[in-house]
Amino acid sequence: MSHSRTASGGGHAATRTAPAPSDPAPRDMAPGGPVPERGGSAGRLRARRARNRQWGALLWVAPALLCYAAFVLYPLGQSIQYSFYNWDGIGTATPAGLANWQAIFTQPELLSAITHAVELIVFYTLFPVGAGLAAATLIRELKPGPFSTISRTILFIPQVLPLVAAGVAWTWLYSPDGLVNQILRAFGLGATTRAWLGDFTYALPAVGVIGVWVMLGFCTVLLLSGIGKIDPALYEAASLDGAGRLRQFRAVTLPGLRQELVVCTTFTVVAALASFDVIQVSTQGGPGYQTLVPGVEIYRLTFLDQRIGQASALAVFLTVLVLLVIWPIQRLGRTD
Amino acid sequence: MTQLATIRRDPVIRGSRVVRGDRITRTLLLVLLMLFAIVPLLSMFTAALAPQGSNPPGLSWPAHPHWGNFADAWTGANLFALFQSSVLIVLGVVPAAVAMATAAGYGLAQLRVPGGKVIYGVLLAGLTIPYEALITPLYYDIQSVGLLGSRLAVVLPLIGLLMPFGVFWMRAHFVSAETALTEAGQLDGGTTWQIFRRIHLPLAKPAISALTILFFLATWNQYLLPLVLIDDPAKRTVAGGLGAFQGQYGTNTALLCAGSLLIIAPSLLVFLVFQRNFVKALLQGAIR
């Protein structure tokens, strides 16, 4: 950023000497708000540039926008369209009216997939954010040092691994000879051992715990870093006012962590509702439909049952569901 | 005098005891959380060293560790081909996606893009769209252009799918950058490109490298897209290939665990090498 380079020759000369636009409006569009009147050619030049830049600026955004439109917006539109047809992916599609949409609310299999996704929020969001918050409150500060770095790194590891690997690892942990049963036996709870992922009652919570494993460290690290940024003077003031630990938590910690909480909650809720990898690898929705979630059901409907219309209706519904849940969380983060 | 001393000392003693007790609770809590994070991987590791076809216990160091299991898994799962394929897909996705996201983030934050607010809003909405919601039409679209089964079938959609987060991330960075710098650059007669290249790009390095790591992980760990769009497991990403491997060696715990560990090794390695900057950038970037 050399300030000596005031005038560059060549191609810019034309822009420079070109008559200034008679309309002063573009000047106000310059970056950083209205430009104070300067009179000289510099002001006009800038105004001129700013206007030129407007349409040129689209070029910066265009590649990202085009890719996004082609591979996200367009397919989403197609999903909406398909959802009103019956189509096996090969033959001709026949209009289905609202049948595919009705099925979501009436067919037990589809309905259970959605219920499970909502139940998974308890595991992916409530447990990790709750436990992460408790841990962060108790630990409060991580003094910078090797232990802090190591603990942060280790806590983060489950988050950076492929979810497929998490699925494989936990399939092994939950197996009859796996670690979970081994620990139960060690504590004399041999009677409670079982093949967890094959159990009709416990399969969904067991899959949920995998979500806890993936999310807990991430939430804890994020909340810990947030709590470290809260001014200690606030805690001192609160305790001088006679506020106990609970009051301090409610009056200082929670408001101070609002941003972090919103990020954690949003991120984990999307992961819960859109879960696929872990379940496809560990249970494929079974036993029965006990761990069926929308992601797995969309995959099944499309590639096993060839019911494209039904899969698309569920896909669009899932998108709407995510938006509906995220919306209030985001609003909570914005109010100030 | 002595009385005063005891009175003075007493709270101090109690205080330090409380602090020490606190520190022990804190450390214990942290260690517990760390164990929860790491023990599943350790259990996988000890199982990977057990004799093939045996029923290894959940967590115990085998008397005779079978290190050869890793070599067997490497050949059995055709991991070399899978790694090669993953690298190709990563090379196709990450540089392009990072460049596009950086350009768009810069445009939306520092330039006056017509309709910029709307464009940003539409992109942001994409953060909530699950991949599964798009996979069905994507499959038929990719099929109709004849790319099904090729690596491009994963590369192209993945670039598009990564855009919402990438643009969000880079825009957040460029918004916090000084607009005064842009103005100074304009006064000096710099073109938009020069101002970006000379002023903003160097300052954006930490944000860009964090995004690069995030995109690497997202691509390397990607499972759904390769599973659906590439039928030949050898052309998938390693994560996509692990699924096929699991079907093949589902009952051979030792080999499955060894293969899984080999597959997660690059993600782990990249994270461990860059973790210091990565976690810091992530923590700052998430809260802007």
Side-chain angles (χ1 to χ4, degrees):
Chain A
M1 37 172 158
S2 60
H3 287 261
S4 58
R5 202 182 288 250
T6 39
S8 55
H12 301 298
T15 326
R16 245 157 234 278
T17 51
S22 51
D23 179 10
R27 194 168 299 165
D28 295 336
M29 305 289 281
V35 177
E37 190 64 59
R38 283 187 168 220
S41 64
R44 263 179 296 173
L45 173 69
R46 251 205 289 174
R48 171 86 195 171
R49 264 250 171 84
R51 202 179 64 158
N52 284 346
R53 198 168 281 136
Q54 275 192 30
W55 292 102
L58 263 185
L59 284 178
W60 290 77
V61 183
L65 196 59
L66 286 177
C67 265
Y68 175 67
F71 298 107
V72 177
L73 292 182
Y74 179 64
L76 190 65
Q78 283 178 302
S79 271
I80 296 172
Q81 189 197 354
Y82 290 169
S83 75
F84 297 105
Y85 287 88
N86 285 326
W87 186 39
D88 61 1
I90 303 157
T92 39
T94 53
L98 289 173
N100 291 329
W101 284 88
Q102 266 167 358
I104 294 177
F105 302 99
T106 50
Q107 273 190 19
E109 184 181 332
L110 296 170
L111 204 58
S112 78
I114 290 158
T115 326
H116 294 152
V118 175
E119 283 173 39
L120 280 183
I121 294 181
V122 174
F123 292 95
Y124 276 68
T125 308
L126 229 56
F127 281 166
V129 174
L133 194 59
T137 312
L138 287 172
I139 300 168
R140 180 84 64 88
E141 60 187 344
L142 269 182
K143 290 225 173 61
F147 182 65
S148 136
T149 313
I150 291 171
S151 56
R152 231 168 43 168
T153 307
I154 289 184
L155 288 180
F156 228 88
I157 285 177
Q159 185 66 51
V160 300
L161 301 181
L163 285 169
V164 183
V168 172
W170 280 86
T171 305
W172 152 235
L173 291 177
Y174 280 134
S175 67
D177 297 317
L179 185 61
V180 174
N181 287 329
Q182 195 187 12
I183 290 175
L184 286 176
R185 274 187 218 109
F187 281 98
L189 296 167
T192 56
T193 58
R194 65 197 76 216
W196 294 90
L197 293 173
D199 189 282
F200 268 76
T201 314
Y202 291 103
L204 189 66
V207 165
V209 169
I210 308 180
V212 177
W213 183 69
V214 173
M215 296 299 174
L216 179 59
F218 167 78
C219 289
T220 309
V221 173
L222 195 66
L223 292 170
L224 258 179
S225 105
I227 224 165
K229 281 185 225 149
I230 297 176
D231 188 354
L234 287 175
Y235 285 106
E236 276 164 37
S239 91
L240 279 180
D241 284 348
R245 284 207 155 192
L246 204 64
R247 264 315 286 282
Q248 288 187 27
F249 176 75
R250 274 197 1 226
V252 181
T253 309
L254 273 188
L257 285 179
R258 174 188 276 170
Q259 283 261 295
E260 282 81 0
L261 286 170
V262 167
V263 171
C264 275
T265 320
T266 309
F267 179 72
T268 52
V269 162
V270 174
L273 293 175
S275 59
F276 174 80
D277 301 16
V278 163
I279 292 173
Q280 179 68 20
V281 168
S282 60
T283 65
Q284 286 162 331
Y289 300 134
Q290 290 306 304
T291 58
L292 194 64
V293 289
V296 174
E297 179 67 352
I298 291 167
Y299 175 81
R300 277 191 181 184
L301 286 169
T302 305
F303 300 105
L304 303 181
D305 302 348
Q306 259 88 37
R307 288 166 61 196
I308 312 305
Q310 189 59 68
S312 300
L314 188 60
V316 178
F317 181 82
L318 177 64
T319 311
V320 174
L321 185 66
V322 173
L323 272 175
L324 280 180
V325 179
I326 293 306
W327 190 263
I329 301 174
Q330 287 291 325
R331 286 201 59 117
L332 265 180
R334 236 179 282 149
T335 50
D336 229 330
Chain B
M1 198 54 203
T2 43
Q3 225 180 353
L4 193 67
T6 29
I7 291 171
R8 250 208 225 131
R9 233 165 56 213
D10 190 40
V12 177
I13 290 171
R14 263 201 292 153
S16 78
R17 204 180 292 146
V18 169
V19 166
R20 201 190 304 150
D22 251 22
R23 193 172 298 158
I24 289 173
T25 336
R26 282 176 190 173
T27 314
L28 210 68
L29 195 69
L30 257 184
V31 169
L32 271 179
L33 285 171
M34 283 156 73
L35 279 179
F36 181 54
I38 208 75
V39 161
L41 297 174
L42 291 180
S43 169
M44 238 175 154
F45 188 63
T46 57
L49 294 175
Q52 285 177 36
S54 70
N55 280 334
L59 185 67
S60 72
W61 191 254
H64 306 282
H66 287 57
W67 295 99
N69 289 349
F70 285 99
D72 287 352
W74 178 265
T75 47
N78 204 7
L79 275 180
F80 183 71
L82 278 175
F83 270 77
Q84 228 177 1
S85 179
S86 273
V87 168
L88 284 175
I89 289 175
V90 163
L91 286 178
V93 171
V94 177
V98 169
M100 286 182 197
T102 306
Y106 179 71
L108 290 173
Q110 293 277 340
L111 309 175
R112 305 222 126 232
V113 179
K117 270 200 173 144
V118 177
I119 293 176
Y120 182 57
V122 171
L123 273 165
L124 215 53
L127 278 176
T128 62
I129 300 176
Y131 287 18
E132 302 98 297
L134 307 169
I135 196 68
T136 309
L138 273 178
Y139 176 83
Y140 289 102
D141 291 344
I142 298 282
Q143 190 182 45
S144 70
V145 293
L147 284 177
L148 207 60
S150 72
R151 292 193 185 94
L152 270 181
V154 168
V155 170
L156 294 175
L158 199 51
I159 294 176
L161 284 160
L162 291 176
M163 280 308 109
F165 180 79
V167 175
F168 163 76
W169 180 264
M170 289 316 297
R171 181 188 168 274
H173 166 80
F174 286 122
V175 157
S176 67
E178 288 279 347
T179 39
L181 287 175
T182 316
E183 280 164 22
Q186 281 163 357
L187 274 179
D188 286 349
T191 61
T192 310
W193 170 252
Q194 284 169 336
I195 293 169
F196 170 72
R197 177 78 190 73
R198 301 232 176 89
I199 301 177
H200 286 289
L201 198 57
L203 290 173
K205 249 184 202 157
I208 292 177
S209 32
L211 186 68
T212 308
I213 299 172
L214 282 172
F215 277 2
F216 167 81
L217 291 174
T219 309
W220 190 270
N221 296 347
Q222 180 51 232
Y223 175 61
L224 176 65
L225 292 184
L227 176 73
V228 168
L229 300 172
I230 303 179
D231 47 2
D232 177 6
K235 280 187 174 174
R236 290 180 187 160
T237 58
V238 274
L242 184 57
F245 187 54
Q246 193 203 21
Q248 207 176 335
Y249 292 98
T251 51
N252 194 338
T253 305
L255 215 53
L256 186 62
C257 286
S260 303
L261 285 171
L262 288 174
I263 281 170
I264 61 181
S267 296
L268 202 57
L269 214 65
V270 164
F271 170 67
L272 290 179
V273 168
F274 296 105
Q275 58 86 16
R276 191 170 287 231
N277 307 316
F278 175 68
V279 174
K280 205 196 288 169
L282 202 67
L283 293 176
Q284 284 167 356
I287 313 298
R288 266 211 196 102

